[in-house]
Amino acid sequence: MTISTIADGLKTKKFGKKVFVFDTIDSTNTCARLLAECGTEEGTVVYAEEQTSGRGRLKRKWISAKSENLLFSIIFAPKIKERRYYLIPLLVSVCIVNSIKKDIPDCPVIVKWPNDILLSGGKKIGGILTELTHTYDNDLRIVVGAGINVNQSTFPSELNTTASSLYIATGKELNRITLLHSILYEIELVYNSVEADPDSIVERWKSHCTMFGKPVQVIEGKKVKTGICKDIDREGALLIEDKKGTIHRIIAGDVTSVAINTT
Amino acid sequence: MDLTYLRKLIKILDQSNMTEMEIEEEGIKLRLAKQTNSKAEGLHGQVMPFYQMPAPMPQQQQLPAAQQQPETPAAEKTEEKKAEPSVTYHEVRSPIVGTFYRAPAPDADSYVEVGQEVEPGTVLCIVEAMKLMNEIECDVKGKIVKIMVENAQPVEYNQTLFLIEPTK
């Protein structure tokens, strides 16, 4: 993979126009964060064929076979209000789902709060890690790293029940760069409208979510909350209703025991 | 491509596990590579001074005083006055509503402990909201006196997270 492989055919004006390509890297997010802190411009993409220390939230490992999937991080310099920064990872997950569906219209891909990408059976095919940082002169930057299982055909046994790929779901091998171009184009399109209409991100996200009305369990630090998933609010927080009818606003935690069904 | 930018790219290469990187920008192609193994320790040694660069945030806070220095001889008095409030503890507060984590991972060591000396730029904790991980950095030089929140507990906007005794 070279820079020109990614640059050729890219239709964006900003996202991916500056790209750092690595055969192997520890973590695209770590690199993108350093670049962001150095003041590298918005839209810069760090791409890798393999990560030696791929990570998710709280340094959970992200395992991905070399040169079979998409691993990239994007630098954002959002101008939206602080309380709506959280919409950026939602935006990226929606754009990934949209792009996959453009490529494979019948692919049963959905989002799980706040930014996991799953197949309708519940297996994960994509994850997002979002980190907030600042440039050396204290300008806010948000770095969103994405891992999407595209053409990986097998997973280690410990991941077999929880992980899958687009190839396993559809039997089709996808052109990863075409998908990356599509994702970057979609992100640019939606991101350009986010300042004027941030609510549209929430609505787009909801249209790809099948959690609503279903029982969920949220592990938030040491607390466990259970209830029916009702909605997400304008800032992206999850709203669940417990047995007493009280609505809880969830801003952090792992959503588990989700009965997901595309019907 | 200016020298500062190039230096930062070298820093990125030094700090990562990668051995080479290729960049194309404004018609300039650049390929950076490093030797591994035996030189690794030496590289780390070089990285250390660079790593103090992220300190500019607190420097900005000190800027008004620094700007006054060349203009007025009262600058020394300003410093004396500053010494008084430093007796009180400096509070590091949460910039967002979220969940407070003392370590980068559940099985990892805490970023900081009570009694530890900290510098501007030292990462103190993470506050997470909507899976957006927000590393909270120290903005003063001093010693941690108290950690006000338990690990994995929710925190409110502007809630005090750490008390720090600034170095006089």
Side-chain angles (χ1 to χ4, degrees):
Chain A
M1 190 64 62
T2 63
I3 291 170
S4 58
T5 314
I6 293 178
D8 290 350
L10 185 65
K11 290 177 184 165
T12 58
K13 289 180 180 166
K14 184 196 280 185
F15 285 83
K17 281 298 177 186
K18 182 182 263 188
V19 62
F20 293 75
V21 177
F22 300 94
D23 187 51
T24 301
I25 196 173
D26 50 355
S27 152
T28 58
N29 246 46
T30 303
C31 177
R33 267 188 62 170
L34 281 166
L35 287 168
E37 287 160 10
C38 293
T40 306
E41 61 262 43
E42 182 172 58
T44 298
V45 170
V46 177
Y47 176 95
E49 290 287 61
E50 181 186 37
Q51 293 183 124
T52 53
S53 304
R55 59 195 167 90
R57 178 175 164 266
L58 300 178
K59 299 224 165 163
R60 289 169 189 162
K61 282 184 185 170
W62 183 260
I63 294 166
S64 175
K66 185 172 184 179
S67 304
E68 292 184 6
N69 301 316
L70 279 177
L71 302 166
F72 60 93
S73 295
I74 306 172
I75 297 172
F76 290 88
K79 291 177 178 59
I80 51 175
K81 287 179 183 171
E82 190 180 314
R83 293 177 72 88
R84 310 202 91 180
Y85 293 160
Y86 313 117
L87 298 181
I88 301 293
L90 296 187
L91 179 155
V92 173
S93 59
V94 163
C95 291
I96 290 172
V97 169
N98 274 343
S99 302
I100 291 170
K101 287 196 165 176
K102 273 184 190 167
D103 219 356
I104 326 167
D106 57 346
C107 187
V109 61
I110 53 173
V111 290
K112 183 187 119 180
W113 188 87
N115 50 31
D116 281 342
I117 299 158
L118 310 180
L119 294 173
S120 57
K123 286 190 176 180
K124 189 163 170 172
I125 58 156
I128 286 172
L129 171 67
T130 312
E131 295 180 286
L132 195 146
T133 190
H134 293 85
T135 63
Y136 56 85
D137 50 0
N138 211 19
D139 269 355
L140 176 89
R141 293 289 183 272
I142 290 178
V143 174
V144 181
I148 307 166
N149 298 335
V150 183
N151 292 328
Q152 189 163 345
S153 56
T154 56
F155 285 88
S157 54
E158 68 270 22
L159 295 177
N160 255 336
T161 54
T162 53
S164 190
S165 71
L166 294 172
Y167 175 78
I168 293 170
T170 63
K172 293 174 190 166
E173 197 162 301
L174 294 182
N175 182 320
R176 293 178 296 141
I177 297 308
T178 306
L179 180 59
L180 178 66
H181 285 174
S182 173
I183 291 167
L184 294 174
Y185 182 76
E186 189 83 13
I187 287 173
E188 184 160 295
L189 204 65
V190 179
Y191 185 66
N192 284 341
S193 67
V194 75
E195 207 174 331
D197 186 16
D199 291 341
S200 68
I201 302 298
V202 175
E203 293 309 315
R204 281 168 191 256
W205 189 91
K206 283 188 198 175
S207 72
H208 292 299
C209 181
T210 58
M211 292 164 65
F212 302 124
K214 306 226 169 91
V216 293
Q217 182 183 61
V218 183
I219 301 171
E220 194 180 7
K222 291 170 184 169
K223 291 180 186 169
V224 179
K225 288 177 183 163
T226 52
I228 302 295
C229 178
K230 300 300 281 187
D231 203 353
I232 62 166
D233 69 14
R234 295 178 72 233
E235 290 163 12
L238 184 70
L239 304 176
I240 65 168
E241 184 179 15
D242 66 18
K243 282 181 182 172
K244 293 175 185 170
T246 307
I247 300 287
H248 298 267
R249 185 173 187 270
I250 309 294
I251 54 157
D254 284 320
V255 179
T256 57
S257 306
V258 185
I260 294 168
N261 198 317
T262 49
T263 53
Chain B
M1 196 176 286
D2 65 30
L3 197 60
T4 312
Y5 182 56
L6 188 60
R7 201 173 283 142
K8 284 165 184 171
L9 292 175
I10 292 168
K11 175 187 156 192
I12 290 165
L13 186 67
D14 275 351
Q15 290 180 344
S16 73
N17 291 338
M18 60 192 168
T19 53
E20 62 178 69
M21 63 200 288
E22 190 177 300
I23 296 143
E24 185 173 357
E25 188 183 344
E26 294 164 359
I28 299 171
K29 270 191 184 177
L30 183 70
R31 190 182 190 89
L32 298 173
K34 73 177 180 191
Q35 286 183 298
T36 50
N37 304 330
S38 59
K39 288 207 169 181
E41 283 183 18
L43 283 172
H44 278 294
Q46 289 170 8
V47 167
M48 286 303 286
F50 278 123
Y51 224 29
Q52 290 167 6
M53 274 176 48
M57 282 180 6
Q59 281 174 6
Q60 281 189 333
Q61 289 183 349
Q62 291 163 5
L63 210 56
Q67 282 172 343
Q68 283 170 17
Q69 278 183 5
E71 292 170 8
T72 161
E76 284 183 18
K77 285 182 183 174
T78 312
E79 283 182 8
E80 280 170 23
K81 279 181 186 173
K82 273 191 171 178
E84 288 171 17
S86 73
V87 176
T88 58
Y89 296 140
H90 177 78
E91 293 183 353
V92 176
R93 295 166 179 264
S94 177
I96 54 169
V97 176
T99 303
F100 171 85
Y101 292 105
R102 286 190 56 194
D107 55 352
D109 290 339
S110 296
Y111 285 110
V112 290
E113 299 290 349
V114 170
Q116 186 175 327
E117 301 283 344
V118 287
E119 302 272 343
T122 304
V123 176
L124 301 174
C125 65
I126 287 175
V127 178
E128 178 199 11
M130 246 75 88
K131 299 209 176 176
L132 197 155
M133 314 308 279
N134 190 352
E135 280 183 355
I136 309 297
E137 291 182 356
C138 193
D139 54 356
V140 293
K141 181 177 167 64
K143 189 167 77 177
I144 299 203
V145 174
K146 192 169 184 184
I147 299 169
M148 305 294 285
V149 185
E150 270 188 53
N151 187 47
Q153 290 301 305
V155 291
E156 295 299 324
Y157 170 74
N158 215 26
Q159 183 175 338
T160 304
L161 306 175
F162 295 88
L163 293 182
I164 294 171
E165 184 181 354
T167 304
K168 291 175 186 173

